[in-house]
Amino acid sequence: MSALSIPSTSLADGTPFPLIGFGTSSMRGTGAVEGIAAALRSGYRLLDTAAQYGNEAAVGEALRISGIDPDEVLVTTKIAGGDQGREAARAGYLESLRRLGLPRAGLVLIHWPNPSRGLALETWRTLIDLKEEGLAQHIGVSNFRPEQTRELIDATGVVPEVNQIQLSPALQRRGTVDFHREHGIVTEAWGPLGGREGLGEQFALRRVAEKHGATPSQIALRWAVDRDIVVIPKSSDPQRQRDNASLDHIALDDADRELLTTLDLGEEAAWDSREHEEW
Ligand SMILES: NC(=O)c1ccc[n+]([C@@H]2O[C@H](COP(=O)([O-])OP(=O)(O)OC[C@H]3O[C@@H](n4cnc5c(N)ncnc54)[C@H](OP(=O)(O)O)[C@@H]3O)[C@@H](O)[C@H]2O)c1
């Protein structure tokens, strides 16, 4: 089987960044290492994990058994809510590196702002230090609303390179995506298949998929990639892993895009990080 050829966007400093990465949450236990290694072997070069997922060791092991040069792979991990703070974030991150078996991660994100703790800014200062020390290649945030991101920028002058947010045709998040564009922040979509919102059953999505001889998942991913948004679909199935990263044959037109616009449930349907916290 030929390796997938995955398109890239660029981080603010010009570093190429794959537009299609691989999500790993819920990949634990039997089959997790093999499943993640299969994704690497088929061509994925961006992996998404987090301290909270309890699978960083499996991700590290998958990288080792895959036979892929680790320098070619960008591993993302995230600082858990309970590890926020100046020193705790550093200690938590070093534990992540130990579990991954890597000297540095490709990208480190603050997993959720968790405003009740009031520690996001201190955590951000630690990520800035980790990058300066060469312990993290790139740094960013996840689930930050524009005003929460702005607070970090105003206080430190350092712009997160990536914000990973809940986004799919069912949650288009246009205001947040526009804010990212203005500031040179790459938008990365979690839940890009919209399963939590029942996106796969939507008639409009199915109609566009039939027209292009594609699956509804592929249409959801193509739509995001066309907007220069990074997607990180998770699949334990090698065939679906390949399908999710094989989008070159799909060219959406204006009529398709118009139809997909109607699927947006609006900002209020997304998890609200002023209230939703994770630890
Ligand atoms: N930052 C955050 O707060 C946050 C939150 C949630 C997720 N994430 C990250 O984002 C990644 C993706 O999000 P997600 O896992 O929630 O959702 P997702 O990738 O949108 O959907 C995954 C689900 O869709 C199924 N699936 C995958 N490909 C498919 C296809 N081609 N056709 C039909 N079904 C398919 C998978 O089942 P099979 O495995 O059986 O294929 C799985 O049940 C996560 O793995 C995680 O790394 C981050």
Side-chain angles (χ1 to χ4, degrees), residues 166-180:
Q166 186 183 20
L167 186 149
S168 73
L171 296 170
Q172 303 193 3
R173 316 292 305 267
R174 287 178 189 276
T176 306
V177 172
D178 287 348
F179 174 82
H180 292 165

Side-chain angles (χ1 to χ4, degrees), residues 10-260:
S10 301
L11 299 179
D13 69 359
T15 306
F17 193 86
L19 273 161
I20 308 170
F22 186 70
T24 69
S25 69
S26 82
M27 292 184 81
R28 284 184 293 271
T30 318
V33 171
E34 265 310 323
I36 298 164
L40 286 167
R41 288 189 190 116
S42 62
Y44 285 90
R45 292 293 178 268
L46 169 67
L47 296 181
D48 186 75
T49 182
Q52 210 183 307
Y53 300 167
N55 70 356
E56 289 170 306
V59 168
E61 182 66 5
L63 193 49
R64 281 183 289 283
I65 69 159
S66 68
I68 310 295
D69 177 355
D71 289 341
E72 281 183 25
V73 181
L74 225 144
V75 176
T76 304
T77 192
K78 312 188 191 85
I79 306 291
D83 284 340
Q84 285 201 16
R86 203 79 172 93
E87 290 311 317
R90 175 180 291 270
Y93 177 62
L94 294 178
E95 275 297 297
S96 287
L97 291 184
R98 183 188 63 74
R99 287 188 293 265
L100 287 163
L102 293 173
R104 73 192 68 79
L107 175 66
V108 190
L109 308 176
I110 304 176
H111 204 147
W112 283 86
N114 281 24
S116 74
R117 301 208 73 198
L119 292 172
L121 177 56
E122 291 301 285
T123 307
W124 183 238
R125 290 191 200 281
T126 295
L127 294 202
I128 295 168
D129 289 348
L130 291 168
K131 183 175 174 189
E132 276 172 12
E133 293 163 31
L135 281 167
Q137 278 175 286
H138 301 284
I139 55 175
V141 294
S142 180
N143 299 300
F144 276 54
R145 296 168 53 87
E147 73 275 13
Q148 294 167 326
T149 307
R150 193 187 294 281
E151 213 178 303
L152 305 185
I153 300 171
D154 287 350
T156 64
V158 181
V159 181
E161 292 170 273
V162 172
N163 187 9
Q164 184 184 116
I165 58 170
Q166 186 183 20
L167 186 149
S168 73
L171 296 170
Q172 303 193 3
R173 316 292 305 267
R174 287 178 189 276
T176 306
V177 172
D178 287 348
F179 174 82
H180 292 165
R181 291 225 167 89
E182 281 162 29
H183 290 83
I185 300 168
V186 166
T187 304
E188 190 175 52
W190 67 258
L193 305 180
R196 292 170 186 79
E197 293 76 41
L199 179 65
E201 287 82 54
Q202 291 298 318
F203 177 69
L205 186 69
R206 291 188 163 269
R207 215 166 99 180
V208 176
E210 268 168 40
K211 172 175 159 185
H212 292 277
T215 66
S217 297
Q218 286 175 314
I219 298 298
L221 297 171
R222 177 82 254 174
W223 169 86
V225 166
D226 281 351
R227 301 175 70 212
D228 216 31
I229 292 171
V230 174
V231 290
I232 46 168
K234 171 263 167 190
S235 180
S236 300
D237 177 78
Q239 186 57 51
R240 286 196 287 278
Q241 291 174 359
R242 293 187 69 83
D243 290 350
N244 291 343
S246 306
L247 310 177
D248 286 353
H249 63 292
I250 306 164
L252 300 179
D253 60 29
D254 286 345
D256 301 328
R257 278 187 283 275
E258 214 167 291
L259 207 50
L260 296 175

